[in-house]
Amino acid sequence: MDSKDYLKDISEIKDLMNKSSRFISLSGLSGILAGIYALIGAAVAYWLVIEYSNGTLILDGKIFNLVMLDLFLIAFFSVVTGIILTTRKAKKNGANIWDTSSKRLVINFLVPLIAGGIYILIILGRQKYGQTGALMLLFYGLALVNASKYSIGDIRYLGFIQIILGLICAWFPGYGFWLWVLGFGVMHIIYGTWMHFKYDVKK
Amino acid sequence: MSIITNINKVFDHRIRLGIMSILMVNEYADFNMLKELLGATDGNLASHTKALEKAEYIKVEKQFIGRKPNTRYSTTKLGEAEFKKHINALEKLINKQ
């Protein structure tokens, strides 16, 4: 064997190590759409609260439930879009959508997220609303950082940003809504765009 | 030459190198996962895993998931050390030219 063969070996090793341990077919476009859904949902929530609840959420149980439904729909559509677009991208890459690496990614993402989600529901049940935005940003950030070990490394930085926004939000709970818009809306769009051009668009 | 001595004959095959690379970054891998990633046939993969097992570079665990037999592979300390040595040797060889 001459050195050209060895060089091929090395690049194949690198490729196998990446492919076997990381799921890299995440779609950037789905990030952009998730951000847009978040902005639309936030606008709806804003309108609901201003129009029907005198600017405060806790007063009216019905409006509160509508805002919760709004939140749930944002999450639902984001997840569905993410699954569809990522499946499409994985197929195009000839990657398997449900293999060891994607399973590991999903599990590591969901553990902090679900723990956080349940915690938020519990404190909402105790009528403690003030920290909801901060907690959502924090747990989502932690989930991203945890999952980044099993996917594209850039997700880690999005996670750090969400954690920082979450902490700021905990300090200034009055700006919770706007920080939520910034974290889930604007940051998703910026990040999705960046990922789309970095990984999805063929140069 | 001293560099050549670190090139490990046991790894001198695409599939074996592939098996080792996958196992280096994963806690373990089962037969199907290796097969899919390497695009190898059953018989081919079996003979290469056997060779690596015989050299004690990988550990083989057979178990049952439900009723289906499942074979799990993982690296041994020896295998990891030898693989690193091999890669370093390859690197040196390439950089020399």
Side-chain angles (χ1 to χ4, degrees):
Chain A
M1 265 214 276
D2 62 24
S3 73
K4 219 179 234 160
D5 289 318
Y6 287 131
L7 206 60
K8 222 181 84 199
D9 277 353
I10 297 246
S11 71
E12 203 169 338
I13 289 168
K14 229 178 93 188
D15 185 48
L16 276 169
M17 284 179 164
N18 262 327
K19 218 163 53 176
S20 67
S21 63
R22 285 159 187 267
F23 183 73
I24 51 175
S25 299
L26 287 178
S27 154
L29 214 55
S30 64
I32 301 176
L33 285 171
I36 293 173
Y37 299 155
L39 289 183
I40 295 171
V44 170
Y46 190 73
W47 174 76
L48 278 173
V49 171
I50 291 292
E51 198 77 357
Y52 296 104
S53 211
N54 305 322
T56 37
L57 194 49
I58 28 177
L59 293 179
D60 191 327
K62 212 175 103 196
I63 296 302
F64 178 74
N65 285 340
L66 280 176
V67 171
M68 287 304 279
L69 176 71
D70 184 37
L71 265 178
F72 173 78
L73 285 176
I74 296 170
F76 178 77
F77 282 118
S78 300
V79 168
V80 170
T81 310
I83 290 174
I84 292 172
L85 290 180
T86 298
T87 310
R88 222 175 56 181
K89 188 178 165 193
K91 259 192 201 142
K92 216 161 44 184
N93 292 348
N96 224 331
I97 181 72
W98 198 233
D99 59 5
T100 323
S101 62
S102 60
K103 270 180 216 162
R104 209 163 22 187
L105 173 63
V106 168
I107 290 167
N108 281 283
F109 180 65
L110 284 183
V111 168
L113 201 68
I114 290 179
I118 293 171
Y119 176 64
I120 290 169
L121 287 178
I122 291 170
I123 64 157
L124 280 179
R126 304 259 158 99
Q127 263 94 54
K128 289 175 184 147
Y129 305 102
Q131 292 286 317
T132 314
L135 289 169
M136 282 170 72
L137 285 163
L138 266 175
F139 280 111
Y140 181 60
L142 289 171
L144 287 176
V145 171
N146 202 39
S148 69
K149 284 170 279 183
Y150 305 98
S151 186
I152 307 162
D154 306 2
I155 293 173
R156 188 181 204 82
Y157 302 109
L158 179 60
F160 288 145
I161 291 171
Q162 306 284 10
I163 291 172
I164 291 166
L165 288 176
L167 291 174
I168 295 173
C169 188
W171 194 259
F172 303 105
Y175 295 98
F177 176 77
W178 298 109
L179 286 161
W180 193 95
V181 166
L182 189 63
F184 283 95
V186 179
M187 288 323 292
H188 269 152
I189 294 175
I190 292 173
Y191 239 80
T193 312
W194 185 28
M195 302 253 289
H196 183 70
F197 284 109
K198 189 168 172 192
Y199 297 103
D200 300 1
V201 178
K202 291 246 149 63
K203 278 152 213 153
Chain B
M1 241 185 5
S2 65
I3 297 170
I4 297 293
T5 54
N6 274 332
I7 295 282
N8 193 328
K9 263 292 178 216
V10 179
F11 295 135
D12 219 356
H13 188 285
R14 221 199 106 238
I15 303 276
R16 292 187 198 172
L17 210 53
I19 296 168
M20 285 307 291
S21 346
I22 292 167
L23 294 182
M24 287 296 283
V25 290
N26 289 283
E27 212 177 318
Y28 58 81
D30 63 19
F31 195 83
N32 284 333
M33 180 179 166
L34 290 177
K35 210 175 92 177
E36 244 168 58
L37 284 164
L38 296 166
T41 61
D42 282 21
N44 199 357
L45 185 56
S47 71
H48 285 305
T49 48
K50 191 136 293 165
L52 288 170
E53 191 192 356
K54 226 174 106 194
E56 292 183 4
Y57 290 172
I58 63 174
K59 214 165 50 196
V60 182
E61 281 169 278
K62 289 186 198 288
Q63 51 173 15
F64 280 85
I65 293 180
R67 283 184 156 183
K68 270 182 31 204
N70 177 277
T71 314
R72 256 162 54 155
Y73 302 93
S74 53
T75 53
T76 60
K77 282 266 181 315
L78 175 69
E80 271 176 38
E82 289 297 322
F83 184 76
K84 276 182 196 150
K85 241 196 286 183
H86 181 74
I87 297 295
N88 284 336
L90 285 186
E91 211 170 24
K92 270 191 201 134
L93 204 64
I94 290 163
N95 285 340
K96 258 194 87 179
Q97 292 184 334

